[in-house]
Each structure stands twice: as C-alpha cells, then as structure tokens.
Amino acid sequence: MFSLPNIFTLLNLICGCVALFGIFYETSAVVIVAFALSLLFDFLDGISARLLGQSSELGRELDSLADMVSFGILPTFLMVDIIERSTDITTMPVYGVIFILAASAALRLARFNLETGGSPEFSGLPSPAMAIIAFGIWINLDVSIYPTLEILGDPNFILILSIALALFMNVPLRFIKFAPGWGLSLHKILSILLIFIFLAGLFISWRISVLITGLSYLVLSLMLPLFSDPQPDHR
C-alpha cells in the first residue's frame, strides 16, 4: 500500500491541496512552489512505478484522484481567480460555466482508468498539460512586468479558453506523449523541442517560459495529424 510510487502520488495530492490553500489566501509563492512540486511528484510516481515494477490497481486509482485535485480542481480555481479579479461570479452566473473544466478533467481521468494497454501517444489533452496552461496564464497576470499580457485576464477570454480546454481533454485528438526508452520517435523529438522552447524562454522570464511551453505543447500536438498515425492512449 505505502510503496514509493504511492507515496509520490500522495505527495502530489498534498501539494495540490496546499496550492489551493495558496489561492484562497492569496499567497502566490505558495501556489507556485506547491504546483511545481505537484508536477515533480506526478512525474516521479510514474517513473518509480516502472523502474521498481510496482504498478498496481490501487496506484492507478490513487494517481487519478491526486491528478483530479492537482490538475483538475486546482487549474479550475486558478481560472476562477482570474475571472474574480474583474468580475463577481455570484452576480454574473454565466461565468460559473467555467467549472466545466473540473468536470472534464474528472471525465478524462475516469476514461483513462477504464483503458488497458499502452500507446505511443495520448488521446485528448492530458490534465497536467491543461493545468500548466492555466498556471502559465495565472502567474503572468500576477506581475506587472509585461502589461501587454493583461489581455489574458479578460473574463470572457478565460471562459472561452476554459471551455476549449475542456473539449480538448475529451475529444479523440492526438497529443504528444514522452515515453522513456531507446530509439528516437516523433514524440521524443517533439518532447525535446518543447524542452528547448522552455529553456529558451528562461532567457526572457521563467513565467513567460511556462506559458509559452504550455501553449507550444498544445499547438505542436494539434499538428500531429500532419505526421504519423499510431493509435492513441486515452490517459
């Protein structure tokens, strides 16, 4: 039960809860650190499970529950926080549609738990990638270094983007998946390209780099139909 992969998964869950705490109490540093750690622990639980041969049904279910908090509920409230900066959702209930983002993340994770077998790519936008895009927008609105990015804080834009991301998570589109191993596949090449995009963005700002990398993942994935056509993984 308390295997190393499951411990990493629980740490992911805890960090997601801490990040939510940071949003509610307007502590940006807590959100930033906790979200970064959630991504790290999410990566480590999968790697350790494969290396140690400790994959299990319990771990599979636990991973989805942790991801729902860190990469479903958390990014939804990041988007809500952006909207609330200029609009009160309680007086403009139409913006409550944004909670479809959390529901779509839950649906995607539930679909993954019903799938068997591996695949060289994802079917639908992975919830961590969706969370990175939401986080990238949120952290860039938290500073005044790049005032031109304030357009990303428009509540109508955020609502439309959230609906689009919700759809991307649950449509049979192909998305980049990096899998360790020998050989150089298209997905590995694109994953390396994303790493270079992130590193290049650091010369501008780490905040900008996160946003650009998240959006680049979305754009490059949507370009996959121009290349090979393997069967997708519904995770």
Side-chain angles (χ1 to χ4, degrees):
M1 180 181 296
F2 293 106
S3 62
L4 184 60
N6 287 350
I7 290 173
F8 283 137
T9 301
L10 290 172
L11 289 172
N12 170 18
L13 175 61
I14 291 170
C15 288
C17 292
V18 171
L20 283 168
F21 172 87
I23 295 175
F24 299 148
Y25 287 90
E26 299 182 355
T27 311
S28 300
V30 171
V31 179
I32 292 169
V33 173
F35 179 72
L37 289 174
S38 289
L39 289 171
L40 175 62
F41 290 132
D42 183 55
F43 173 77
L44 291 176
D45 72 1
I47 290 294
S48 60
R50 285 189 290 268
L51 292 178
L52 300 176
Q54 294 182 340
S55 298
S56 66
E57 287 300 316
L58 174 63
R60 185 186 181 95
E61 297 294 333
L62 189 61
D63 183 63
S64 289
L65 290 171
D67 284 357
M68 183 57 206
V69 173
S70 298
F71 311 128
I73 296 174
L74 174 59
T76 299
F77 276 94
L78 289 174
M79 294 299 213
V80 168
D81 183 57
I82 295 173
I83 289 178
E84 284 282 321
R85 296 183 187 195
S86 57
T87 304
D88 186 354
I89 293 180
T90 59
T91 60
M92 295 287 290
V94 65
Y95 291 107
V97 174
I98 199 168
F99 289 102
I100 194 176
L101 196 59
S104 295
L107 179 59
R108 190 185 195 290
L109 291 166
R111 285 193 303 109
F112 168 71
N113 281 352
L114 296 177
E115 296 295 324
T116 58
S119 171
E121 58 188 35
F122 292 117
S123 174
L125 178 69
S127 54
M130 178 274 289
I132 289 173
I133 293 173
F135 177 74
I137 294 173
W138 184 83
I139 57 173
N140 279 289
L141 294 179
D142 202 38
V143 294
S144 57
I145 300 175
Y146 303 101
T148 54
L149 292 179
E150 289 180 0
I151 189 173
L152 298 178
D154 180 84
N156 294 318
F157 170 79
I158 292 299
L159 181 60
I160 293 172
L161 176 63
S162 297
I163 294 173
L165 292 175
L167 291 174
F168 280 137
M169 282 192 286
N170 287 289
V171 293
L173 294 176
R174 300 162 52 194
F175 281 83
I176 298 168
K177 177 181 180 182
F178 178 78
W182 299 105
L184 195 61
S185 65
L186 171 63
H187 286 256
K188 288 182 181 177
I189 293 172
L190 294 177
S191 297
I192 293 171
L193 176 58
L194 287 168
I195 292 173
F196 278 116
I197 290 173
F198 175 75
L199 294 176
L202 292 178
F203 288 97
I204 305 174
S205 164
W206 72 267
R207 295 172 184 263
I208 293 292
S209 184
V210 171
L211 178 59
I212 291 176
T213 304
L215 294 176
S216 295
Y217 175 84
L218 178 61
V219 172
L220 288 174
S221 292
L222 293 177
M223 293 174 62
L224 279 176
L226 300 176
F227 304 102
S228 57
D229 189 28
Q231 293 298 313
D233 178 1
H234 293 269
R235 180 170 181 174

